[in-house]
Amino acid sequence: MKFFRIKGGVHPSHHKSTKDATTVVMGLPSKVVIPMVQHLGAPCQPLVKKGDTVKVGQVIGNTDAFVSAPVHASVSGTVTAVEPRIISGSRPILCVEIKPDGLQELDAIEPPVVTSKEDFLKAVRASGLTGLGGAGFPTHVKLNPPKDAKVDTLIINAAECEPYITSDYRECLENTAGIIEGIEHVLKWTGIPKAFIGIEDNKPDAVELLKKATMSKPNIEVVSLPSIYPQGAEKMLIYALTGRQVPPGKLPADAGCIVLNVTSVAFLANYIKTGMPLIKKRITVDGSAVKYPKNVEVLIGTPVGEVFEFCGGLKEEPGKLIMGGPMMGVALYSLELPVLKNTNALLALSEQEGKLPQETACIRCGRCVRACPMNLLPLEIDRLAKASQFDELNKYNIMDCIECGSCVFACPAKRLIVQSIRLGKDALRRASAKKQA
Ligand code: SF4
Ligand code: SF4
């Protein structure tokens, strides 16, 4: 099948050293810390209090808000704290801490009864599923686009274009049948006629397996795409597979598409079969400071320090700890922070690798412009944000920036453009909230 070449993009080293590392299951951690918001949308209210006992799969946080997803206990044990904690950013998030009792006693787990689209959407919400590829958007919301959106294409994101991360790749190898089953559930209950699985051509064995598994399924097509970062960004993938562009400020559904992560659909298949909600996650643990890099199945809420310990610990004092990939991941300030639903990698980089390069003056070479997949002018946005000329930023469509970091990667002057962009976006959001108040 033909594909469309995305504009811009960069070629960082793949560093996929864990690609042959079969998933290993980590045992019980000493505690789990489960934030009441691990998704884009409204936070959940805790349904337990300190001293309560909980079972595996029990709903411990929920809300009536549509754009949200419940959270479940990943261990059986005793609630030791319900309190606000800093997880990422500067705003505290209400968290439930549970000390495992070692029994892993199950709550009343039963497969959902699904006989209609409504049942299906209800089940997806109840499963606690939010995008497992990193963005963390509640999946039942994605699957329920506005009535006037004419969605005709389901896109399964198996691109995994970020360096180091191989967790989706392992899903493709280790659970091919589950992926296809999950796609068929989504197509059946949403009425979408066609699905594409978009995967980069640096994973030939996974491409072959998926093609074999879909040979007799004319409504599911596997498309091998060139390896270029950020091929796996939602808007890029839609363009690469359909040639459609998502208009600025609009959603994939406005271009007739729904995009789901490959591990998300495989999870859905298992949930429909077993009723086991989202309590665990495969994550890639890698980086030059990690003793034994691995792909690990981890219970949600496990402190990241214990995951690194499971991988033999750190060889040296890391220069940088990252949750996610090196391009779009978030720097971690503590080993106590928990693994979240959308954590797909934990990286520990050596002092040398983790060092932030010294910014020098922009030489107006234009490389950032050529690298930008969103047709933006990163050098101008960087200049205006650094000069606090926030009012000017809308003219440069700053809100269209997907924060992929391609401009930073391409920049010979090592300008910290993404930081400027985040600063600028934040200033504009605050100004808009002030106007509305
Ligand atoms: S790549 Fe860097 S140096 Fe070149 S124009 Fe962009 S910001 Fe300036
Ligand atoms: S400006 Fe934004 S979208 Fe463009 S390359 Fe930089 S980070 Fe990516």
Side-chain angles (χ1 to χ4, degrees):
M1 187 214 143
K2 70 168 184 172
F3 56 82
F4 299 83
R5 276 186 194 278
I6 63 168
K7 190 231 158 230
V10 289
H11 293 277
S13 304
H14 291 153
H15 289 292
K16 304 267 187 188
S17 65
T18 55
K19 74 179 181 53
D20 297 323
T22 308
T23 312
V24 287
V25 179
M26 181 179 161
L28 280 178
S30 63
K31 65 178 177 190
V32 291
V33 175
I34 303 183
M36 290 294 104
V37 56
Q38 301 180 48
H39 48 260
L40 295 176
C44 293
Q45 297 309 315
L47 303 177
V48 291
K49 54 182 189 325
K50 189 175 172 182
D52 285 356
T53 54
V54 293
K55 293 180 180 172
V56 176
Q58 182 178 330
V59 179
I60 56 169
N62 210 344
T63 163
D64 289 336
F66 177 61
V67 185
S68 189
V71 284
H72 303 81
S74 54
V75 295
S76 64
T78 307
V79 175
T80 43
V82 179
E83 61 190 23
R85 293 188 184 175
I86 300 282
I87 300 298
S88 69
S90 56
R91 225 174 301 153
I93 294 172
L94 210 50
C95 293
V96 171
E97 184 185 282
I98 307 167
K99 189 171 171 37
D101 57 14
L103 304 172
Q104 285 304 78
E105 208 180 325
L106 288 183
D107 197 32
I109 302 289
E110 276 179 18
V113 177
V114 178
T115 57
S116 66
K117 181 178 177 181
E118 269 144 37
D119 288 346
F120 179 65
L121 294 177
K122 234 160 96 185
V124 177
R125 189 190 194 284
S127 75
L129 180 61
T130 59
L132 299 181
F137 197 73
T139 304
H140 71 101
V141 181
K142 269 193 177 184
L143 291 173
N144 195 9
K147 294 253 177 315
D148 55 345
K150 292 186 176 45
V151 174
D152 61 6
T153 309
L154 172 68
I155 290 178
I156 302 302
N157 190 350
E160 204 163 51
C161 58
E162 272 252 12
Y164 290 95
I165 311 176
T166 60
S167 53
D168 284 345
Y169 169 71
R170 292 309 310 176
E171 189 76 34
C172 294
L173 296 188
E174 296 175 27
N175 189 20
T176 324
I179 293 167
I180 309 305
E181 206 181 310
I183 294 172
E184 288 185 316
H185 278 304
V186 177
L187 293 180
K188 178 176 174 185
W189 296 116
T190 58
I192 299 173
K194 172 95 192 159
F196 292 115
I197 304 177
I199 178 162
E200 286 196 335
D201 59 10
N202 60 352
K203 307 168 186 76
D205 41 358
V207 173
E208 206 184 308
L209 271 179
L210 289 166
K211 280 193 172 168
K212 223 165 140 187
T214 51
M215 220 147 43
S216 60
K217 301 184 188 297
N219 56 345
I220 307 176
E221 201 165 337
V222 180
V223 185
S224 172
L225 298 166
S227 306
I228 183 165
Y229 179 86
Q231 185 74 264
E234 222 168 48
K235 289 181 179 179
M236 306 307 119
L237 203 57
I238 291 172
Y239 179 72
L241 293 169
T242 66
R244 301 175 194 168
Q245 277 174 335
V246 181
K250 298 286 182 183
L251 296 169
D254 296 300
C257 299
I258 288 176
V259 184
L260 296 180
N261 165 267
V262 70
T263 303
S264 296
V265 279
F267 163 81
L268 264 185
N270 190 55
Y271 179 73
I272 302 281
K273 225 177 337 200
T274 65
M276 179 55 81
L278 185 56
I279 59 156
K280 59 189 179 182
K281 190 71 215 293
R282 178 193 298 102
I283 55 179
T284 299
V285 186
D286 202 351
S288 45
V290 177
K291 207 160 181 185
Y292 303 118
K294 290 184 197 325
N295 278 301
V296 190
E297 186 182 284
V298 181
L299 293 169
I300 289 165
T302 299
V304 298
E306 295 192 27
V307 184
F308 283 123
E309 279 309 310
F310 180 73
C311 296
L314 300 177
K315 288 189 277 192
E316 57 184 277
E317 190 60 34
K320 199 169 200 176
L321 296 171
I322 304 173
M323 187 175 272
M327 302 294 282
M328 292 187 78
V330 180
L332 295 175
Y333 70 90
S334 162
L335 288 167
E336 282 292 304
L337 292 169
V339 167
L340 307 173
K341 290 180 184 182
N342 63 347
T343 305
N344 51 9
L346 290 174
L347 305 180
L349 304 180
S350 66
E351 185 95 42
Q352 181 65 18
E353 266 186 310
K355 223 188 331 194
L356 266 187
Q358 187 64 45
E359 262 190 318
T360 57
C362 170
I363 55 170
R364 301 191 73 79
C365 65
R367 285 190 208 175
C368 56
V369 182
R370 287 195 291 281
C372 180
M374 294 302 292
N375 284 316
L376 303 178
L377 292 175
L379 75 162
E380 290 302 325
I381 298 177
D382 182 47
R383 181 181 65 78
L384 291 167
K386 284 196 168 89
S388 301
Q389 287 178 256
F390 299 122
D391 293 346
E392 297 289 301
L393 284 170
N394 271 330
K395 287 186 204 155
Y396 289 88
N397 301 321
I398 184 176
M399 289 307 188
D400 286 351
C401 169
I402 56 169
E403 299 180 20
C404 66
S406 298
C407 48
V408 179
F409 184 83
C411 177
K414 309 292 174 210
R415 307 287 298 166
L416 300 175
I417 304 169
V418 174
Q419 276 89 330
S420 300
I421 287 169
R422 288 186 183 146
L423 201 77
K425 280 185 177 177
D426 202 44
L428 289 179
R429 280 193 201 108
R430 272 187 282 120
S432 144
K434 213 167 159 187
K435 250 189 225 162
Q436 279 165 17

